[in-house]
Amino acid sequence: MWFILIILFLATGGLSIPRTRYNNLECEMFDPSFGTFNECKLKVLGRDIVGLNVFATMNKLPILNVKVNLSLWRKYSGYRSFMFNTTFDFCKFMAKSDKKLSFQKVFIDMIAAFSNVNHTCPFEHDIIVRNLVLKNDYFKYFPLPTGQYKLQIMVSVDKRWVANLNVHAFIADD
Ligand SMILES: *[C@@H]1O[C@H](CO)[C@@H](O)[C@H](O)[C@H]1NC(C)=O
Ligand SMILES: *[C@@H]1O[C@H](CO)[C@@H](O)[C@H](O)[C@H]1NC(C)=O
Ligand SMILES: *[C@@H]1O[C@H](CO)[C@@H](O)[C@H](O)[C@H]1NC(C)=O
């Protein structure tokens, strides 16, 4: 009996407990004259700790008019749109003094301390995100079932889509 239980435990991957972490990152600039992603990578910072790092050089400054489209996708056999898909005016949002709870607020709160984007427009500098680690408390307002997800971040400047980032992560609902 014990033998069977142990075999089952091993077969179900019982030893490697799934943990919330990023597992892939893709960055694309649609128009190279607009900017370049010099860095777009996940860095292992410790056991089961993965930091997200992005450095985008911006050639056309200042940036005054930014829209961001955030969509979450969950993987089944392929990716399907899941829970949110929203476009918001980044400059107007950052100018608000009291930001209501929303997916965009959770997104900004998550990157604020690890990036140089937590300010109002204009943007007159390159965009940097350093060692942003995924934590389960980011999902306390919208708990996600355990699974593989993709957060797609599309950025438009002056009404043109200029860049796209896909953040792939495994999320463990524990
Ligand atoms: C996102 O929302 C828009 C408008 O609400 C809709 O037309 C579109 O099909 C949705 N896209 C996805 C991927 O769910
Ligand atoms: C956000 O972008 C997706 C494409 O990734 C698009 O299908 C969707 O319509 C956009 N959502 C909104 C609300 O505009
Ligand atoms: C982001 O900016 C807001 C408004 O200036 C500030 O209240 C908040 O503390 C900042 N967050 C971080 C993590 O720096």
Side-chain angles (χ1 to χ4, degrees), residues 18-99:
R19 296 289 300 275
T20 292
R21 55 190 260 170
Y22 304 113
N23 46 29
N24 194 15
L25 175 66
E26 298 157 326
C27 311
E28 187 187 356
M29 199 72 78
F30 299 133
D31 177 0
S33 72
F34 187 81
T36 313
F37 283 108
N38 300 87
E39 190 179 20
C40 170
K41 72 174 182 204
L42 300 179
K43 217 189 286 177
V44 176
L45 304 174
R47 212 182 146 210
D48 275 336
I49 304 173
V50 178
L52 182 152
N53 290 273
V54 171
F55 191 120
T57 305
M58 295 303 181
N59 298 333
K60 296 189 176 159
L61 299 172
I63 296 169
L64 299 156
N65 187 342
V66 184
K67 286 202 168 64
V68 177
N69 170 304
L70 289 180
S71 53
L72 186 68
W73 304 74
R74 183 173 179 200
K75 196 171 189 177
Y76 299 91
S77 48
Y79 277 108
R80 270 191 251 157
S81 183
F82 191 83
M83 196 176 288
F84 60 87
N85 155 13
T86 178
T87 299
F88 69 101
D89 186 314
F90 183 87
C91 296
K92 283 196 185 136
F93 185 78
M94 295 310 280
K96 282 187 197 161
S97 54
D98 98 86
K99 299 182 178 64

Side-chain angles (χ1 to χ4, degrees), residues 106-172:
V106 171
F107 174 71
I108 303 291
D109 288 350
M110 176 172 133
I111 63 174
F114 302 92
S115 72
N116 63 352
V117 305
N118 188 32
H119 65 77
T120 51
C121 296
F123 272 64
E124 298 181 83
H125 55 73
D126 296 338
I127 306 297
I128 302 170
V129 183
R130 272 283 156 268
N131 292 334
L132 172 62
V133 174
L134 194 59
K135 297 197 197 86
N136 273 82
D137 24 303
Y138 296 146
F139 314 115
K140 65 186 169 198
Y141 300 114
F142 53 104
L144 297 174
T146 296
Q148 176 69 33
Y149 291 86
K150 172 174 86 176
L151 173 66
Q152 180 172 13
I153 307 157
M154 286 220 298
V155 181
S156 106
V157 173
D158 297 332
K159 300 190 171 148
R160 279 175 52 218
W161 296 105
V162 295
N164 183 62
L165 286 91
N166 291 330
V167 183
H168 298 256
F170 185 83
I171 292 168

